[in-house]
Amino acid sequence: MEYLLLLVGFVLLVKGADFFVEGSSSLAKIMKVPSVIIGLTIVAMGTSAPEASVSINAALTGNNDIAISNVVGSNIFNGLVVVGICAFLASFKTNLDILKRDMPLNIVITMILCFMFMDGKLSRIEGLILLAGMAAYIVSMIYSALKNRETGEDCKVLSLPKSIVFMAGGLVAVIFGGDLVVDNACVIAANFGVSQNFIGLTIIAIGTSLPELVTSIVATRKGDSGLALGNAIGSNIFNILFILGMSAAISPLNVLGESLTDCIILLVSTVILFVLAKTKKTMSRWEGAVCVLLYIVYTAYLLIR
């Protein structure tokens, strides 16, 4: 029964996020906001809704290992697999705004998170600091969106009421799905004697990152690399600043030594992705393959550990 409920939870997460993204993207298009900004903000937040639901639910129920490992595991997956598969399917030019602003910011906040983990806990004050960083990031994105509004773009969008219904319905499904995933993943982990940290880094992290993967692949196939890369990088920034910030603000989190190691691995993978994206200002097929291969090596390391 636990497996069936876990599957139902993942379906609700993915479909809920899908409806949320469609509704919010439609709203953004009505406002004529550039796709890069949409990817970095609304789509990134929508596709990160499963991670938010899982980690915040985990924090509320005292499952600290899942709250932290879900975010760290999802960020590693987003950077290596989501971007890697998109590049492997179709080489794309790196958006200069993302390369100059968002990717360096992603490295800096990941570095800050590693420092916060060093004392073995993520306190309520540190959570509030991360949330303040999220607020500053959103303000800067809104400023950028207003400064670079697109005009004359004729695109099919949902009506305003339908967009709001899609967003609200999607959010409800995501919250309920996240609750099911956390509860049943913990039961399964206990049955197999597997640590919650491992479950959070693998099954839950990959499951909650499916919306990022699907959204980015679709965007890449349509030739919109700005949305694809912006979605992955924006999700990672949102995961650290908002999800871990909110989780710690609700209930201070204890950090395992393994989680610090994983955070350092996340930092290294983030730097590698930046270097690959900066080289010739493109992400080529072979660079995408290297990213996916690195994730396979990381998963093998988790199994051995």
Side-chain angles (χ1 to χ4, degrees):
M1 195 63 180
E2 289 86 6
Y3 296 98
L4 181 61
L5 289 173
L6 183 69
L7 183 61
V8 170
F10 276 136
V11 170
L12 285 172
L13 283 173
V14 175
K15 293 306 295 180
D18 190 34
F19 277 106
F20 183 87
V21 169
E22 190 173 348
S24 52
S25 294
S26 176
L27 192 64
K29 285 175 184 176
I30 291 171
M31 297 167 65
K32 295 185 172 63
V33 176
S35 65
V36 172
I37 301 297
I38 296 172
L40 285 165
T41 53
I42 296 176
V43 176
M45 291 177 193
T47 55
S48 284
E51 286 95 329
S53 180
V54 168
S55 288
I56 292 171
N57 267 298
L60 286 168
T61 55
N63 296 302
N64 291 357
D65 294 359
I66 286 181
I68 293 173
S69 59
N70 173 42
V71 166
V72 174
S74 291
N75 280 20
I76 293 172
F77 185 86
N78 288 344
L80 296 180
V81 179
V82 174
V83 177
I85 288 178
C86 288
F88 185 74
L89 289 174
S91 300
F92 57 81
K93 288 187 177 180
T94 311
N95 181 278
L96 292 179
D97 285 337
I98 294 175
L99 193 62
K100 291 179 180 178
R101 178 191 62 205
D102 304 291
M103 294 187 88
L105 176 63
N106 192 26
I107 292 171
V108 170
I109 64 172
T110 304
M111 197 179 298
I112 290 170
L113 186 66
C114 288
F115 280 116
M116 287 182 170
F117 278 3
M118 282 182 178
D119 62 354
K121 66 180 185 295
L122 196 62
S123 67
R124 186 169 277 114
I125 291 174
E126 288 170 331
L128 292 172
I129 290 170
L130 292 176
L131 286 175
M134 186 67 212
Y137 181 69
I138 290 175
V139 168
S140 71
M141 287 295 99
I142 291 172
Y143 174 77
S144 180
L146 292 174
K147 191 178 177 183
N148 300 292
R149 286 171 71 90
E150 293 179 344
T151 54
E153 184 182 354
D154 185 24
C155 53
K156 186 180 178 182
V157 294
L158 302 170
S159 65
L160 183 59
K162 198 171 183 180
S163 297
I164 294 170
V165 169
F166 270 46
M167 289 172 68
L171 196 58
V172 169
V174 161
I175 292 169
F176 186 62
D179 198 28
L180 283 176
V181 168
V182 171
D183 291 346
N184 292 286
C186 289
V187 172
I188 292 168
N191 289 342
F192 278 93
V194 178
S195 71
Q196 289 185 3
N197 189 48
F198 179 80
I199 292 289
L201 285 165
T202 52
I203 298 171
I204 296 178
I206 293 171
T208 55
S209 288
L210 288 177
E212 282 92 341
L213 182 60
V214 173
T215 304
S216 291
I217 288 174
V218 170
T220 300
R221 300 298 284 183
K222 290 180 179 179
D224 197 347
S225 60
L227 180 60
L229 187 61
N231 175 33
I233 302 302
S235 290
N236 282 9
I237 293 171
F238 182 79
N239 286 350
I240 292 175
L241 294 180
F242 178 76
I243 298 176
L244 279 183
M246 182 63 73
S247 297
I250 290 171
S251 175
L253 306 173
N254 293 319
V255 180
L256 298 175
E258 287 179 347
S259 295
L260 176 58
T261 303
D262 293 319
C263 193
I264 292 169
I265 291 171
L266 170 61
L267 178 60
V268 171
S269 69
T270 304
V271 172
I272 289 171
L273 180 63
F274 177 66
V275 171
L276 292 176
K278 196 177 175 74
T279 308
K280 297 181 181 178
K281 305 289 189 297
T282 60
M283 281 293 293
S284 64
R285 287 177 182 270
W286 75 266
E287 287 172 329
V290 167
C291 287
V292 175
L293 182 62
L294 286 173
Y295 186 78
I296 292 171
V297 171
Y298 170 67
T299 306
Y301 158 72
L302 289 179
L303 289 169
I304 295 167
R305 187 173 75 181

